[in-house]
Amino acid sequence: MDYRRLKDLPEELLPRERLFQYGPDALSNREILAILLRTGVKGENVLDFAERLLTETGGLSGLARLTVHELTRYRGMGTAKAAELKAALELGRRSVSSDPMVRPVINSPQDIAYLVMEEMRYLDREHFRVVSLSTKNHVLGISSISVGSLNSSLVHPRECFKEAIRRNSNAIILLHNHPSGDPTPSREDIDVTRRLSDGGQILGIEVLDHVIIGDNRYISLKERGIL
């Protein structure tokens, strides 16, 4: 039987009822997404809608990379639904990053690139961020400092070290993307790095590296001998 309407499904197969009875761990990605979407579209119940969205975007990781505006390009995704879905995905991301038991450890530039590559490689403007690290190089948090072309007026040492001090960080890693896809550091990148490194020495918070993200590649200023 083809269940075009969700209410035609047996109650034990409805996502929300399955959540109540078995808990969230028992649900598939499609079922969890269907609960967030709440309603389907013409010709698709919400489970079919959720499955199509996962297929077209490349799964949960693909969904997480999309902006609200990009989500609205998919059939059935209005601005309200796209905003709710994006908020739910962001809440999940924050819950993981705030859990000390699952905080990633950074031992190399490759580790930090792996952590942010899939998100930052698609950004259409330069985003400058600071990664705060513990004494054992666990990620304590990632702070957004500026959006736009990297220059010394946008990237002030006060803003870069404020969250690191609040988190009692031992060290930081500077991080930004090049929307062109080419991660080769500019003269401004190098100047800002050295300026912030000097500031870190005064504060007792070491600047371990500055990693520039391009299109599926990165450059470490530490590895280049610039820092």
Side-chain angles (χ1 to χ4, degrees), residues 4 6 46 53 56 70 110 115 122 132 134-136 144 157 170 188 196 200 203 219 222 224 227:
R4 288 296 178 188
L6 199 65
V46 70
L53 198 59
E56 291 179 351
E70 289 169 335
Q110 184 177 5
L115 185 65
Y122 296 111
S132 298
S134 71
T135 55
K136 294 184 178 180
S144 180
N170 180 65
E188 193 71 50
L196 293 177
L203 293 170
I219 282 178
K222 182 75 170 180
R224 288 287 181 98
L227 185 59

Side-chain angles (χ1 to χ4, degrees), residues 82-102:
E84 291 170 0
L85 178 56
K86 190 64 181 177
L89 290 166
E90 175 63 15
L91 193 63
R93 185 192 69 80
R94 292 187 185 187
S95 69
V96 171
S97 63
S98 64
D99 186 344
M101 299 302 294
V102 295

Side-chain angles (χ1 to χ4, degrees), residues 137-178:
N137 284 355
H138 285 92
V139 174
L140 300 176
I142 301 178
S143 307
S144 180
I145 305 301
S146 69
V147 178
S149 297
L150 187 60
N151 59 59
S152 57
S153 62
L154 282 174
V155 183
H156 193 282
R158 179 180 60 249
E159 298 303 316
C160 288
F161 289 100
K162 181 169 65 177
E163 282 300 301
I165 293 171
R166 187 183 69 82
R167 292 183 168 115
N168 197 28
S169 307
N170 180 65
I172 64 171
I173 293 175
L174 311 177
L175 182 67
H176 85 283
N177 65 301
H178 281 179

Side-chain angles (χ1 to χ4, degrees), residues 69-88:
H69 177 68
E70 289 169 335
L71 281 169
T72 60
R73 296 173 184 169
Y74 292 87
R75 186 170 69 88
M77 290 294 291
T79 53
K81 189 167 287 190
E84 291 170 0
L85 178 56
K86 190 64 181 177

Side-chain angles (χ1 to χ4, degrees), residues 108-122:
S108 69
Q110 184 177 5
D111 291 338
I112 193 67
Y114 177 80
L115 185 65
V116 302
M117 178 71 74
E118 285 307 307
E119 177 203 359
M120 295 192 73
R121 64 184 289 200
Y122 296 111

Side-chain angles (χ1 to χ4, degrees), residues 12-27:
E12 64 270 17
L13 295 181
L14 295 173
R16 191 173 297 172
E17 280 64 26
R18 279 176 44 75
L19 176 65
F20 291 150
Q21 185 170 358
Y22 302 109
D25 290 347
L27 272 61

